[in-house]
Amino acid sequence: MMDVREQTGTAGRMPVALAHAASPARPGRLRLALRVCGFVVLAVLVLFAGGFGWFADKVSHMTTPTNPAKADAIIVLTGGQSRLDAAMDLLASGKGERLLISGVHPSATKRQLQAAMGGDKQLFSCCVDIDRAALDTIGNAEESAKWVENHAYGSIIIVTNNYHMPRSLLEMGRLLHGAHLEPYPVVNTNLGNGNWLTKPEALRVLLTEYSKYVLSLARGFLPLRTTPEGMTLAQASSVSKN
């Protein structure tokens, strides 16, 4: 008669043996997962670096047009005196019927803004509108879309710094589908011939703006911000035209 211990002894050891046999596969899977993660991270870094090189080269070769074509209106995004001066010069030279200054601080009055910009007081009083609601580039685009729709403008000159222009056109283009956007980049620092590589401050600004540009591109895969009526601004504009 077989001993009970002989019947159960081998069976009792089988799960342990199977566990030992399977254990070498776990480190292998872990190494594979780490390699895949490392490859993904490396690919992202390479894409980011390559994209930054393209962005910096594109921005550094932007120049201010000497004689831009006339448009229906002009929009300038606040962020520097040179932008405002350039926009006012365009308005004075008849390059647009009206000028929207988007992103003005709520505490700034129209008189203070006119004094800071100089120029013709009568022209400023009759043909300049001020947007105080926008707090960032997305807000600039939203408020500009409302202004353009209200005036039924078909062509717009966009005034902002060269490094800010790609993101501005991207955000504006999402909401102003029917309008032709003409960039007017303001260049404060010469970044051509790779000069941005030798200027730490310029490199920091470009890297920061490129990161925001990438995030703006990513927003293209998400729904646009909605209005209180429940429609996106782009949808609202198409409805108003029908």
Side-chain angles (χ1 to χ4, degrees), residues 107-125:
S107 65
T109 65
K110 193 167 185 176
R111 179 176 297 181
Q112 291 173 334
L113 193 59
Q114 189 278 323
M117 295 176 65
D120 188 343
K121 292 183 180 180
Q122 184 176 358
L123 180 64
F124 193 95
S125 299

